[in-house]
Amino acid sequence: MAADLTLLSDLSPPSLERTWLTAPHPTLPIVATCSSDKTVRVYSLTNFRLLSTITGGHKRSVRTAAWKPHVQGESVLATGSFDATVGIWRRWDTYGRDDGLQSDVANGTGPNDNDSDDDEEWRFAVLLDGHDSEVKSVSWSPSGMLLATCSRDKSIWIWEDLDDGDNNFETVAVMQEHEGDVKCVSWHPVEECLASASYDDTIRVWREDLDDWGQVACIKGHAGTVWYLDWEGADNVPLSTNDATLPLTTQWKDHRALSGPRLVSCSDDRTVRIWRRQPKEQRAQPPFGGTGVPSIIRPTGIDETWEEETILPSRHELSVYAVAWSKRTGLLASVSADGRIVLYEERFVAAESTQVTDADLPAGETGASVPKTEWKVIAVVDGAHGIYEINHVAWARRADRGREAGPEEEVLVTTADDGSIKVWTVGR
């Protein structure tokens, strides 16, 4: 089923320099955009206007940002810069969640429209110094206690937020197995498991074992720099196109309970690929976070096997810089140096599955029937930002003013070289 990607609005005013990435807030209708002008701009998704400009923390381009989850009463933002440092910024949600920020955004009376001082709004809490070169990506763990950072210096650092009221962070691991710039780090949606992507054309998966972080998988398949990674949502199920495919949903969930969420990656080789972990024997354990998805525990000393499940239909003519996997709908979006946005949908193939038996698997692993799916391109937008490369794409909950949005309705946010940030709706 085809879809329409329709421009809803530009975020205004744009940056006058290249914008690298836009990070939607986990709960509030705002986004943070990183710019080459050394600032981070915070915009409203309610009226698409600039709320704050965060300045003064970094000496070079701000390349990446991520909001800390599960924070009450304030917003905490991590930023990574080409100056080799990571900044932690805090802002009290003084205007509240009911009549405060929501009201400020709706009425256009945000920080830029009154006498409030940006310096008083956003507090530069701490500078994390350790990388030797440009920081390319930052990512908070699902618990919000760990922050992963990666750099052109080929290393990945994991920091623990001690949450002691003094903004203290402790370095808990430094991983240096990658043989090139590390472009992206991304945490598993429910577990403390980290994936990284690199200039060395590989994806690596990391877990903690006996108080030490180590690599449990090195995934090879791309024929160029792996620019970006994203995880499948823990509750994702492919689309059932007719009654014949409905029974496959249970089968699908049973298999994912063993293998866990999949990974999507994109590369300089112009491909978007999906990877699935080979199922392991499940240890009895209550579900994580009440999601109904069991924890996947790596047996001590046993590496994980990740296999390429599929290469998505080819629609990009240049390097694919970013992918975003919707945690609500399961739709995938990719953006590229070719200025194109591509939207993909996964559907069950009726009455077909790939049968994996215990005899086909190593000792200790269990077989399951994997329902067959296929990915279709459902929308393509050429020249989405004119002649400019698109550096990033992200899903966010739709929140524009004067409109009752359904709980599953989302917008797509794209970020480009000309400093523009565009918000798109998906119509069916």
Side-chain angles (χ1 to χ4, degrees):
M1 184 186 299
D4 294 317
L5 267 179
T6 305
L7 180 63
L8 180 61
S9 181
D10 283 71
L11 298 186
S12 180
S15 171
L16 298 178
E17 297 185 33
R18 173 184 291 164
T19 45
W20 288 105
L21 175 147
T22 299
H25 193 284
T27 56
L28 299 176
I30 59 176
V31 297
T33 296
C34 308
S35 174
S36 289
D37 67 4
K38 309 173 190 175
T39 72
V40 175
R41 286 172 167 77
V42 179
Y43 293 93
S44 161
L45 284 180
T46 305
N47 64 7
F48 312 113
R49 296 178 60 180
L50 181 67
L51 292 173
S52 304
T53 301
I54 303 175
T55 62
H58 292 295
K59 298 176 182 178
R60 294 183 62 195
S61 297
V62 182
R63 176 65 180 84
T64 180
W67 298 96
K68 183 177 179 178
H70 312 305
V71 182
Q72 298 296 322
E74 67 173 340
S75 293
V76 180
L77 184 70
T79 56
S81 169
F82 283 0
D83 66 10
T85 67
V86 174
I88 305 295
W89 304 82
R90 295 179 179 272
R91 186 193 194 286
W92 297 114
D93 291 337
T94 50
Y95 27 73
R97 291 167 186 265
D98 296 327
D99 60 353
L101 177 63
Q102 304 280 1
S103 174
D104 286 349
V105 170
N107 296 324
T109 57
N112 267 26
D113 300 304
N114 57 34
D115 295 328
S116 68
D117 186 345
D118 282 352
D119 291 338
E120 293 179 5
E121 267 183 41
W122 286 97
R123 311 185 305 283
F124 190 42
V126 65
L127 192 72
L128 302 181
D129 196 358
H131 285 292
D132 294 331
S133 189
E134 301 168 359
V135 177
K136 297 297 182 71
S137 178
V138 297
S139 180
W140 292 97
S141 67
S143 68
M145 297 311 298
L146 299 176
L147 177 69
T149 64
C150 66
S151 167
R152 187 177 178 180
D153 65 13
K154 307 179 185 179
S155 74
I156 299 165
W157 288 54
I158 297 179
W159 316 76
E160 182 180 1
D161 185 349
L162 299 182
D163 203 20
D164 56 3
D166 293 324
N167 295 307
N168 288 320
F169 282 73
E170 180 180 18
T171 305
V172 296
V174 178
M175 288 96 79
Q176 297 177 300
E177 279 82 348
H178 275 296
E179 298 172 2
D181 301 17
V182 189
K183 301 294 188 184
C184 178
V185 283
S186 181
W187 288 96
H188 188 290
V190 291
E191 300 173 23
E192 288 189 347
C193 168
L194 184 71
S196 59
S198 171
Y199 187 82
D200 66 13
D201 305 351
T202 70
I203 301 161
R204 297 175 193 246
V205 181
W206 314 84
R207 289 184 186 268
E208 187 178 23
D209 186 21
L210 301 177
D211 296 325
D212 189 23
W213 283 84
Q215 177 181 300
V216 296
C218 178
I219 306 171
K220 299 179 180 180
H222 280 295
T225 299
V226 186
W227 285 103
Y228 207 81
L229 297 167
D230 199 12
W231 290 87
E232 176 181 27
D235 298 319
N236 178 54
V237 176
L239 179 68
S240 292
T241 54
N242 54 53
D243 291 344
T245 61
L246 288 175
L248 298 177
T249 299
T250 301
Q251 201 175 343
W252 172 270
K253 290 180 177 178
D254 289 345
H255 187 268
R256 192 193 43 220
L258 296 175
S259 62
R262 295 167 293 173
L263 264 175
V264 63
S265 60
C266 61
S267 168
D268 206 46
D269 66 12
R270 309 179 188 180
T271 67
V272 178
R273 301 172 188 239
I274 292 178
W275 312 86
R276 183 188 290 272
R277 205 191 82 160
Q278 208 175 72
K280 299 234 178 204
E281 188 172 8
Q282 187 180 341
R283 280 168 55 174
Q285 180 146 322
F288 241 101
T291 62
V293 179
S295 168
I296 310 297
I297 303 297
R298 178 175 65 96
T300 302
I302 303 297
D303 286 346
E304 300 178 355
T305 300
W306 286 79
E307 297 174 341
E308 182 181 285
E309 182 172 274
T310 189
I311 301 177
L312 269 59
S314 176
R315 291 294 186 275
H316 288 294
E317 298 173 359
L318 295 171
S319 299
V320 187
Y321 286 149
V323 286
W325 202 331
S326 170
K327 306 303 184 281
R328 294 189 180 95
T329 66
L331 295 178
L332 258 171
S334 62
V335 293
S336 165
D338 61 15
R340 184 173 293 162
I341 306 171
V342 181
L343 197 60
Y344 314 82
E345 182 177 68
E346 185 179 24
R347 307 167 186 172
F348 284 120
V349 178
E352 291 190 41
S353 65
T354 302
Q355 185 69 37
V356 180
T357 66
D358 291 346
D360 297 326
L361 297 172
E365 297 188 359
T366 58
S369 184
V370 187
K372 186 176 180 181
T373 65
E374 60 182 1
W375 287 89
K376 297 285 189 181
V377 173
I378 59 172
V380 177
V381 178
D382 290 315
H385 288 254
I387 63 172
Y388 295 96
E389 297 186 354
I390 306 176
N391 295 315
H392 188 257
V393 61
W395 294 97
R397 188 184 295 274
R398 185 168 182 178
D400 43 308
R401 179 175 52 192
R403 187 180 180 288
E404 291 295 327
E408 296 301 316
E409 195 162 0
E410 291 182 297
V411 291
L412 206 58
V413 184
T414 55
T415 311
D417 266 4
D418 64 344
S420 65
I421 312 102
K422 294 180 182 289
V423 182
W424 309 80
T425 60
V426 180
R428 303 305 292 264

